[in-house]
Structures are given as C-alpha cells and as structure tokens.
C-alpha cells in the first residue's frame, strides 16, 4: 500500500513538472493538455520535449485550426498513423527555434530527446519510410549534417522551411503536401486537393462515425472526443479566437473555476502567506491600482518555510538551495572578502557620522576669545555647540528579481543578496531581503529575512530560486510601501534585476484587461514607479545582473543610480561606494 502511494506521488510530481514546463513555454496557464508522462521512465527528455512542443505550438500557432485540419483529412480517409507522424515532425520544425530563442536550454533537451528516441525506437521507426525520414531528421539534429537520399533530403528541407514561419496554414500545407507525396500519392485524385479537405463542414464531421478511431469504451460524443484528441487544445469560442488573432496579445485565459482554485494553487507552490486575509486585501486595494489593476500581491516566506505538502515545487526549491550553497562553498573566500570590504565601508561611514563635531553657533558654550566682537562685529556666533549624528537612522530593503530569466545566474544572484545582507547585519543596519516573481495574476513577494531578524536569518537567502515572470513596477511599489512604514528617517531600496520586466496578462472573469506588461510599456512603468519612490524620499539603487543588450532598459529605469556588476570580485566596492554616498549625503 505504501509503495503504491509512493508511486502515485511520483507520478503526480512528474505530471506537475511536465505541465509546469508546458505552461511556462506556452505562457498560457489555462492549458489542459494531455501530456506524455508514460515515456518519462523510458526517458525524461522525451516527455519534457513533448511538453515543450505542445506549449510552444500553442503559443505561436492556432492549435484548434491545425487539429481541425487533421480531423478533416481523416474524414476523407487519410491513414491516421503516417498523418500524425508527419504532423509531429512539422510541429517540431515549426517551434523548436522559436522556443530556443527565449530558452536556449531547449535545444539540449531536444537533442537528448532525439538521442533517446533513436535508442529506444530505432527498429520501429526504421520499419516505415516516414519513420526513416524522422530518423534522418533526428540524426541531423544530434550529430550535425548527415547524408540522405535525395527524396529524404527534399522532405527534410520542406520541414526545415517551417522554422521561420508563424503561419498555421503554412504548417497545414506542408503536412498535407508531405502526406500526399510520401503516404498516399493518390489522395488528391481520389478525394481532392487541400481546399476541398478544408471545405468540410462541422455538420458533416459530426455525422461521421468516429468509433473506428476511438477506444471501444468511447462514449456517444465521438467527434468531440476525437477532435479533442487530435487538437489537444482548450476549447475557445470563435469570438475569443478572433480577438486573440486581432490583438496578438500574450494572455492567459482563466475561467471562474480556475480563478477559484488559483489561491490554493499559490499556497501549494509558493507556501502559505504570512499575512492574514484582511491584511492581504488591504494591501491589494492600496497597491494594485493603475497599470496593476486586476493584479494581486502574495506575501510568503517561501515553500520551504510554509509548505502545504511535499510536491515537485518543494523538491525544486530544495535542489535550488543545495545548488546555491554549493556555489557559495566554491566562492566562499571571495564572498567573505566582499562581506569584509562592504562591512568595513559601512562601519567607517557610520563612524564618521557618529564622531563629535564642534560648530560655531549663536548659542551653546561661550568662547572667551571671541567676546571682543561684542559691539564691534555683526557676527553673533560667540558660542560653540556639539553635533553628534544618530547612527540608527537607516533602513534598507533589498529586492531581488526571482523571475525565470534569472535562472542561469541564480546562484550568483543569491550570493549578491547574501553579501549585502551580511554587511548590513555587521553594520547594525535594519534591512529586509525579498525576492519577487509573478505567476498568473499574483506577484509573489518572498521574504528571506525581515528588518529586525538576527544575522542567522541571512542564510535563508540561499533559498532563492528563479521561476515564472516579473512585474517589476508592482514589486517596487510594494517594497517602497514597507519601507515607508519604518521609523528610520533615511531609507534605501536596492533592486537586483536584469532590466527585463515581463508579465503575462491574466484575463479573470469581468476583468478590465490591462495592457500586456512587457517591452517598452513595462520598462516605462517600472521607471515611473522608481521616480515616484524617489519622490517619497527613498533612495533607489538598481543593480544590474543581466545581459548587456538589456543595459539600456536598466538605465531608463534607474537613471544614473545603477551599478553593472560584471565580476563578483568587484561587487562590494561598487555597492559600498553607493551606500557610503547615501550615508554621507544625509549628514
């Protein structure tokens, strides 16, 4: 019984991992596709790449239109096996480069999936000509250019032409041409060209008996079931599809049922919130306005601290922490040196503020040798008084971009946050460290340490892991709101980001559908938010941890107050100069 439960948990976590990958690639978290989990035991890469293909095809093409074409082709007597095999090859050719432009690691997943497929299914594929074409395409992807027969090369070239298209009809035409050429040369003569296939009406399809294509236990709705199987797409109304074609906006469509489950999903995958329901509602009302209307904030200490139950996300968080600590161990000497330098800079600046300073004044302790000025000079400063600065006037909020685009440098970003936190702790400056990312319409604010936590809490920064999207403007607004509540007179916000604010729009029922939060619009919004925060008297430093092509966006957001950290060795010097300047400017 226990073994069966373990097997069920294992199966659930596999499904969760594959589904999350599909959702991430597609950007549509309402997709409910039937994903390949069976092949996971044979090869994880085959299952993962299947999820990538389905997610990417849903993102770049009209899955419903493609699925409907396949059903109409079968209605005219096409052979399902070669048709679906050609369709899978066309989908792969159409999406893999597009998906890899956003996530380069996909190319390696594809290569390993093809390698494992050839190892496990070589005999089966080699038994048919179309299977041999598929093997040749996979061999070329794994090994580079390979020699092919002229007929196979022509088929491979036809598939390769789909790499640069985003036109669903181009994919349909290629599949149709390949099928009529390789699988059934007499199809056009017997049934007519593609235009005739596409002219089949929905009424004709529904009247057709689909039992031969379904399992014996299939119910009465044969066409709907088969269409669902072929298209593997969430059913959308024609109105929504047309609107999507017109606007070409990246949106997630969420129905009432999904919206009701959303909060439970957040608890399951990000840990329970440390705020009460009333506090969360108050913050959402006050902060989620303007360009962030219809968004929500979710404050948590993370899945490892407030876990609902063990799942893939918790295991991923554990692995990320382990990897971060491993990188910390590898860079321990450099990290400690950075902490020492930054701590020393802060201590010297605070010591300078706390030193006694005597200034001339018109009140205080009288200076005898200045009494001669009485009646002879207008200078009434015959006294001196002592000035002593308060060393406990500062509060710092460190905000770290924890979106998926940070994944490649995840451990180094965690190190940067840890160095700052350790130095601030050594200097006795109260500070909070939080990461932020956005999933569905929730901007997740994960707290690693709070303002008055002991130094030991800094270790929790190594729980940092990157996922999902990022709505930088809302995160900056929320961080500033927490700083405003602090009693300290001088406040500093440090933002570690990659200069690429990007968030998927979630269309909740009856929502006002704000503009897609990406590109120039998102950069302008984040820059405007930073200006508002500075107008509140909060100093803002942007620390750039991204690619050089995004430097211009970072400059637009933070102006002159941003630092480009090229080398972890120089990290403490760059940050120390800025913090020292803030301490000196407030004397």
């Amino acid at each position: 019984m226990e073994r069966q439960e373990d097997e069920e948990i294992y199966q659930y976590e596999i499904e969760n991992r594959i589904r999350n990958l599909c959702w991430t690639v597609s950007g549509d978290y309402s997709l409910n596709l039937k994903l390949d989990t069976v092949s996971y035991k044979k090869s994880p890469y085959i299952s993962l790449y299947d999820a990538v293909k389905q997610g990417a095809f849903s993102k770049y093409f009209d899955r419903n239109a493609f699925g409907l074409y396949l059903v109409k082709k079968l209605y005219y007597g096409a052979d399902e096996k070669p048709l679906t095999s050609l369709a899978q090859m066309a989908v792969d050719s159409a999406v893999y480069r597009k998906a890899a432009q956003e996530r380069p690691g996909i190319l390696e997943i594809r290569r390993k999936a093809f390698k494992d497929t050839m190892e496990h299914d070589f005999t089966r594929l080699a038994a048919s000509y179309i299977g041999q074409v598929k093997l040749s395409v996979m061999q070329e992807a794994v090994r580079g250019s390979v020699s092919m027969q002229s007929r196979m090369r022509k088929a491979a070239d036809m598939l390769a032409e789909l790499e640069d298209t985003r036109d669903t009809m181009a994919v349909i035409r290629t599949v149709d041409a390949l099928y009529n050429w390789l699988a059934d040369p007499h199809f056009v003569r017997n049934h007519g060209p593609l235009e005739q296939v596409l002219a089949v009406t929905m009424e004709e399809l529904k009247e057709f008996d689909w039992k031969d294509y379904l399992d014996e236990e299939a119910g009465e709705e044969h066409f709907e079931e088969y269409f669902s199987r072929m298209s593997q797409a969430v059913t959308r109304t024609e109105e929504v599809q047309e609107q999507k074609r017109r606007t070409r906006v990246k949106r997630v469509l969420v129905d009432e049922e999904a919206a009701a489950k959303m909060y439970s999903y957040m608890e399951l995958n990000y840990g329970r919130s440390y705020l009460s329901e009333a506090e969360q509602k108050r913050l959402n009302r006050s902060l989620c306005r303007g360009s962030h209307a219809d968004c929500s904030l979710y404050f948590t200490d993370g899945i490892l601290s407030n876990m609902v139950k063990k799942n893939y996300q918790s295991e991923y968080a554990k692995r990320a922490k382990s990897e971060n600590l491993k990188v910390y161990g590898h860079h321990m000497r450099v990290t400690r040196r950075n902490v020492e330098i930054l701590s020393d800079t802060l201590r010297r600046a605070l010591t300078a503020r706390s030193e006694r300073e005597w200034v001339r004044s018109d009140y205080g302790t009288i200076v005898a040798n200045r009494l001669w000025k009485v009646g002879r000079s207008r200078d009434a400063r015959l006294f001196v008084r002592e000035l002593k600065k308060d060393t406990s006037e500062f509060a710092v909020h460190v905000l770290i971009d924890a979106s998926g685009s940070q994944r490649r440098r995840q451990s180094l970003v965690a190190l940067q946050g840890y160095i700052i936190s350790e130095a601030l702790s050594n200097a006795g400056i109260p500070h909070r460290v939080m990461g932020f990312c956005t999933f569905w319409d929730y901007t997740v604010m994960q707290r690693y340490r709070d303002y008055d936590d002991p130094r030991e809490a800094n270790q929790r920064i190594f729980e940092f892991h990157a996922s999902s999207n990022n709505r930088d403007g809302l995160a900056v607004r929320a961080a500033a709101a927490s700083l405003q509540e602090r009693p300290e007179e001088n406040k500093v916000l440090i933002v570690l980001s990659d200069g690429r604010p990007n968030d998927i729009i979630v269309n909740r029922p009856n929502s006002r559908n704000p503009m897609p939060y990406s590109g120039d619009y998102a950069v302008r919004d984040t820059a405007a938010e930073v200006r508002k925060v500075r107008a509140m008297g909060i100093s803002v430093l942007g620390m750039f941890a991204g690619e050089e092509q995004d430097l211009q966006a970072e400059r637009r957001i933070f102006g002159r107050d941003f630092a480009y950290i090229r080398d972890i060795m120089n990290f403490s010097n760059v940050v120390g100069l800025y913090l020292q300047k803030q301490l000196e400017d407030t004397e």
Side-chain angles (χ1 to χ4, degrees):
M1 187 68 178
E2 185 176 331
R3 184 176 179 180
Q4 182 180 354
E5 289 178 355
D6 290 341
E7 183 67 20
E8 288 175 357
I9 293 172
Y10 175 74
Q11 186 68 19
Y12 167 79
E13 294 186 2
I14 289 174
E15 291 176 3
N16 192 31
R17 179 182 182 186
I18 296 173
R19 185 169 289 104
N20 282 340
L21 178 60
C22 181
W23 283 347
T24 301
V25 172
S26 71
D28 186 344
Y29 295 84
S30 66
L31 284 180
N32 187 22
L33 305 179
K34 185 178 288 186
L35 298 168
D36 177 18
T37 58
V38 176
S39 63
Y40 192 91
K41 289 183 178 180
K42 181 171 67 175
S43 165
Y45 296 107
I46 295 175
S47 294
L48 293 173
Y49 188 58
D50 177 72
V52 168
K53 285 192 297 183
Q54 294 208 49
F57 195 72
S58 297
K59 178 177 181 178
Y60 299 114
F61 298 92
D62 188 338
R63 180 181 284 274
N64 278 351
F66 186 65
L68 192 57
Y69 154 73
L70 296 176
V71 172
K72 290 179 177 181
K73 190 78 171 177
L74 291 167
Y75 172 85
Y76 266 118
D79 189 345
E80 181 183 12
K81 188 175 180 179
L83 180 65
T84 53
S85 183
L86 290 168
Q88 289 166 5
M89 284 190 277
V91 166
D92 166 64
S93 296
V95 304
Y96 83 94
R97 286 197 184 277
K98 299 176 184 66
Q101 285 177 356
E102 296 182 11
R103 297 173 176 80
I106 283 173
L107 290 177
E108 183 62 13
I109 294 175
R110 179 178 185 255
R111 191 187 69 80
K112 289 181 177 179
F114 283 0
K115 186 177 179 181
D116 290 349
T117 299
M118 288 189 292
E119 179 180 343
H120 292 287
D121 298 328
F122 186 91
T123 303
R124 178 180 62 80
L125 291 171
S128 67
Y129 188 81
I130 291 176
Q132 292 170 26
V133 173
K134 191 171 185 177
L135 280 172
S136 298
V137 171
M138 289 192 292
Q139 286 172 345
E140 195 161 62
V142 172
R143 303 170 189 166
S145 181
V146 297
S147 60
M148 301 184 197
Q149 299 174 355
S150 58
R151 195 163 178 245
M152 282 190 180
R153 171 52 63 191
K154 182 181 177 182
D157 290 344
M158 288 173 66
L159 291 168
E161 288 176 4
L162 296 175
E163 293 174 1
D164 298 322
T165 187
R166 294 199 179 194
D167 181 8
T168 305
M169 274 306 302
V171 181
I172 291 172
R173 291 191 191 97
T174 299
V175 173
D176 198 70
L178 286 170
Y179 179 87
N180 295 343
W181 175 40
L182 300 177
D184 189 354
H186 304 295
F187 187 92
V188 174
R189 184 185 65 189
N190 296 333
H191 304 291
L194 176 60
E195 289 72 17
Q196 188 168 331
V197 172
L198 296 177
V200 176
T201 65
M202 296 296 288
E203 287 73 20
E204 291 175 312
L205 289 175
K206 289 181 179 179
E207 290 175 2
F208 188 75
D209 186 1
W210 294 96
K211 287 182 180 178
D212 291 341
Y213 296 91
L214 296 165
D215 299 331
E216 291 182 0
E217 64 270 23
E220 296 179 359
E221 298 298 321
H222 304 311
F223 166 69
E224 283 77 8
E225 185 175 346
Y226 197 72
F227 174 72
S228 176
R229 179 187 294 183
M230 295 301 291
S231 65
Q232 287 286 282
V234 175
T235 302
R236 296 185 177 95
T237 64
E238 291 183 3
E239 180 181 356
V240 171
Q241 290 183 52
E242 181 59 31
Q243 182 182 10
K244 187 176 181 181
R245 282 193 293 271
R246 278 200 311 270
T247 60
R248 297 192 179 184
V249 170
K250 190 179 183 183
R251 290 192 175 98
V252 177
L253 304 174
V254 181
D255 58 20
E256 294 279 5
E257 184 180 358
K261 294 178 179 178
M262 197 182 293
Y263 192 83
S264 296
Y265 186 90
M266 298 303 297
E267 287 189 323
L268 182 65
N269 289 279
Y270 292 96
R272 293 185 179 91
S273 175
Y274 58 77
L275 295 180
S276 68
E277 185 178 351
E279 288 175 309
Q280 290 182 84
K281 287 182 177 179
R282 178 184 63 81
L283 285 171
N284 285 330
R285 280 195 302 269
S286 63
L287 299 175
C288 299
R289 298 171 176 268
S291 57
H292 308 295
D294 291 323
C295 297
S296 304
L297 287 159
Y298 188 82
F299 293 85
T300 177
D301 285 326
I303 192 170
L304 297 183
S305 296
N306 281 316
M307 191 185 302
V308 175
K309 69 175 182 178
K310 184 178 178 181
N311 59 14
Y312 169 72
Q313 292 287 57
S314 64
E315 291 303 305
Y316 171 68
K318 286 179 183 176
R319 287 198 299 272
K321 181 178 180 180
S322 176
E323 181 64 26
N324 293 342
L325 288 170
K326 188 185 299 181
V327 172
Y328 167 61
H330 182 70
H331 293 88
M332 186 173 290
R333 291 180 63 185
V334 174
T335 301
R336 287 178 175 174
R337 181 60 181 155
N338 272 275
V339 171
E340 289 172 5
I341 293 172
L342 186 52
S343 299
D344 186 55
T345 300
L346 294 174
R347 287 194 191 102
R348 281 189 282 106
L350 288 172
T351 300
R353 287 179 58 82
S354 63
E355 287 177 349
R356 295 184 176 185
E357 182 180 357
W358 295 90
V359 297
R360 294 171 62 188
S361 176
D362 54 3
Y363 68 93
T365 303
I366 194 166
V367 180
N369 62 5
R370 292 180 187 168
L371 292 177
W372 65 268
K373 293 186 178 183
V374 177
R376 294 185 178 88
S377 171
R378 292 182 180 180
D379 187 359
R381 293 179 297 172
L382 308 177
F383 305 85
V384 292
R385 63 187 178 92
E386 183 185 48
L387 292 181
K388 185 176 180 181
K389 298 288 193 303
D390 182 3
T391 62
S392 60
E393 300 179 326
F394 285 87
V396 177
H397 193 305
V398 182
L399 186 63
I400 309 176
D401 175 4
S403 64
S405 58
Q406 296 276 52
R407 191 166 291 150
R408 282 186 297 170
R409 46 188 170 268
Q410 174 176 286
S411 296
L412 290 177
V413 173
L415 270 185
Q416 291 173 354
Y418 177 75
I419 290 168
I420 296 174
S421 189
E422 281 284 282
L424 291 169
S425 293
N426 290 341
I429 297 176
H431 63 286
R432 171 184 274 186
V433 182
M434 298 189 86
F436 72 94
C437 67
T438 302
F439 186 81
W440 282 359
D441 70 342
Y442 283 94
T443 289
V444 180
M445 305 289 291
Q446 181 170 345
R447 182 176 63 180
Y448 302 111
R449 63 152 290 137
D450 214 345
Y451 292 105
D452 300 313
D453 282 348
R455 179 180 173 180
E456 290 73 25
N458 296 337
Q459 285 287 326
R460 289 192 56 228
I461 296 172
F462 291 116
E463 293 178 13
F464 173 82
H465 61 277
S467 66
S468 302
N469 306 292
N470 52 310
R471 183 169 282 262
D472 295 40
L474 181 55
V476 168
R477 184 183 294 182
S482 80
L483 268 173
Q484 281 292 83
E485 295 176 355
R486 293 294 300 179
E488 291 81 6
E489 181 181 353
N490 304 298
K491 303 172 177 69
V492 180
L493 173 61
I494 301 175
V495 184
L496 283 72
S497 71
D498 61 2
R500 297 179 62 188
N502 181 55
D503 184 30
I504 295 167
I505 297 299
V506 173
N507 281 354
R508 300 184 90 174
N510 305 315
S511 70
R512 283 165 280 177
N513 295 330
M515 288 181 64
Y517 199 82
S518 61
D520 184 66
Y521 174 75
V523 170
R524 283 190 286 109
D525 175 77
T526 307
E529 208 62 50
V530 168
R531 289 194 296 271
K532 290 176 186 176
V533 172
R534 285 174 175 155
M536 295 159 56
I538 298 174
S539 302
V540 183
L541 168 67
M543 286 179 49
F544 183 64
E547 306 297 336
E548 286 197 31
Q549 61 264 29
D550 296 315
L551 265 173
Q552 189 58 39
E554 188 82 354
R555 288 193 182 97
R556 287 178 62 192
I557 292 171
F558 295 103
R560 289 178 300 176
D561 288 333
F562 91 96
Y564 182 17
I565 311 298
R566 292 181 174 88
D567 185 356
I568 192 72
M569 292 288 291
N570 197 39
F571 179 82
S572 58
N573 292 323
V574 175
V575 179
L577 284 173
Y578 178 82
L579 291 176
Q580 185 178 25
K581 179 175 179 291
Q582 299 307 308
L583 291 169
E584 292 172 351
D585 286 351
T586 53
E587 289 186 11

